[in-house]
Each structure stands twice: as C-alpha cells, then as structure tokens.
Amino acid sequence: MSVEQLLQLPDETATADFGARLASVLPEQAVIFLEGDLGAGKTTLVRALLRALGHQGAVRSPTYTLVEPYEIADRSLYHLDLYRLGSPEELEDIGIRDLLAQPCVLLIEWPERGAGVLPEPDLRLILTAAGAGRALTVRAATPLGGKLLKDAGVFS
Ligand code: ADP
Ligand code: MG
C-alpha cells in the first residue's frame, strides 16, 4: 500500500502547522521518517509536533546524541537524527531494540543511514526546497499511515 500527496509549505509557519496537524491525529505507536537535505525543515516539523502535543521545554536537534526521548501526556516519543550514524549497526548501541519493543512514536531524521535495521515506516515525509519555501511529499506506506493522513485531512 502506498498513497502519496504533495503539499506546498510556503514558509516556516506552514511547516509548523503541518507538524501540529499530524500531532492532533498521532496514535500511540507509529514510525515516521523525515527525509530531505540539511535545512529542509525536518527538525522544525518535529519541534512543532512535540509542542502541539504539549511539550513545553526545548526541542534540540539530536545531531550528536542521535536520540532524544520525550514523555508527553503518558506517551513515549523518540526523536532520532541519524546524520552522524557511522553504520546501521550502530543503532544497536543506542538501544533501537528496546525502543521498538514498546509502544512509542519514532520520528526519524536521516533514516537512510539506518537502512536495514530500522523498521519500515508508516509515514515518510520528504521535504525539498521550493523557492523560498518547501515542498512536502507525504507518503503512507502502511494502513496506519494511510489512516493518519486521512485523519489529518491530507486526503479527502
Ligand atoms: P533540518 O532538520 O531538515 O536540517 P531545520 O528544521 O533544522 O532543518 O532547519 C530548517 C530551516 O528552514 C529553519 O531555519 C526554518 O526556519 C526554515 N524553514 C522550515 N520550514 C520552512 C518553509 N516551509 N519555508 C521556508 N523556510 C522554512
Ligand atoms: Mg534536523
């Protein structure tokens, strides 16, 4: 199953709005890949999503820590940035097995770096430059991902 939609995000507010929209329909368990070059807006989107769920502290890019955990209103979310991952096997060192063994939401920047060890995503969010703004391709790869996009109003 694969359904895809292209959205225009003309400014940072549009990116943040999409993150908030996703937050409003997010289940307890989901795997979401965020793809796109440095500066594409992946962390901006995650930050808006976490804030919309009620997180009040900072949302730092886990560029060096690789993973940042969040407990928000009884749910577990993990924000991963695998840009500096040496090899997919290094995911074992940051405890990917434990993360996958519990109900949680994984928000993963640079998932390409973890290919073969990461599970298949429910949703892929692919950000590209479009003039001064961004274009966002959303692709649902599982029934859960499809439902999420439908609930978020991405598909009618
Ligand atoms: P990434 O995590 O993909 O490397 P960041 O979210 O850290 O990117 O940075 C993205 C930069 O682009 C930020 O400066 C942010 O203000 C800006 N930005 C985010 N979304 C948009 C958009 N839709 N249009 C223009 N600028 C954006
Ligand atoms: Mg980032």
Side-chain angles (χ1 to χ4, degrees):
M1 180 202 172
S2 177
V3 279
E4 187 174 296
Q5 183 78 287
L6 179 68
L7 305 174
Q8 295 301 326
L9 304 175
D11 53 27
E12 182 175 352
T13 305
T15 303
D17 286 350
F18 182 82
R21 219 159 109 198
L22 209 54
S24 70
V25 300
L26 201 63
E28 261 188 54
Q29 186 158 16
V31 179
I32 300 177
F33 284 4
L34 295 110
E35 302 174 25
D37 286 340
L38 285 174
K42 303 180 292 298
T43 300
T44 302
L45 200 159
V46 170
R47 185 174 291 125
L49 184 152
L50 294 170
R51 291 257 163 81
L53 288 177
H55 177 70
Q56 299 194 338
V59 175
R60 293 190 189 83
S61 176
T63 309
Y64 294 96
T65 53
L66 297 182
V67 56
E68 272 311 321
Y70 294 89
E71 295 289 330
I72 310 172
D74 283 339
R75 25 147 112 242
S76 303
L77 301 97
Y78 296 91
H79 179 198
L80 284 76
D81 179 341
L82 305 182
Y83 187 67
R84 290 178 187 278
L85 197 71
S87 72
E89 290 66 37
E90 273 180 33
L91 278 169
E92 309 287 354
D93 302 337
I94 64 166
I96 190 75
R97 296 284 153 214
D98 293 338
L99 300 192
L100 294 175
Q102 52 166 345
C104 68
V105 172
L106 298 180
L107 301 155
I108 309 177
E109 298 186 38
W110 296 98
E112 306 90 319
R113 303 279 206 266
V117 175
L118 289 179
E120 289 300 311
D122 297 295
L123 217 57
R124 286 175 65 196
L125 307 177
I126 304 152
L127 288 151
T128 52
R134 307 287 187 268
L136 171 65
T137 301
V138 290
R139 191 175 299 155
T142 65
L144 174 69
K147 180 182 184 306
L148 244 165
L149 291 184
K150 194 157 187 285
D151 291 350
V154 173
F155 300 111
S156 49

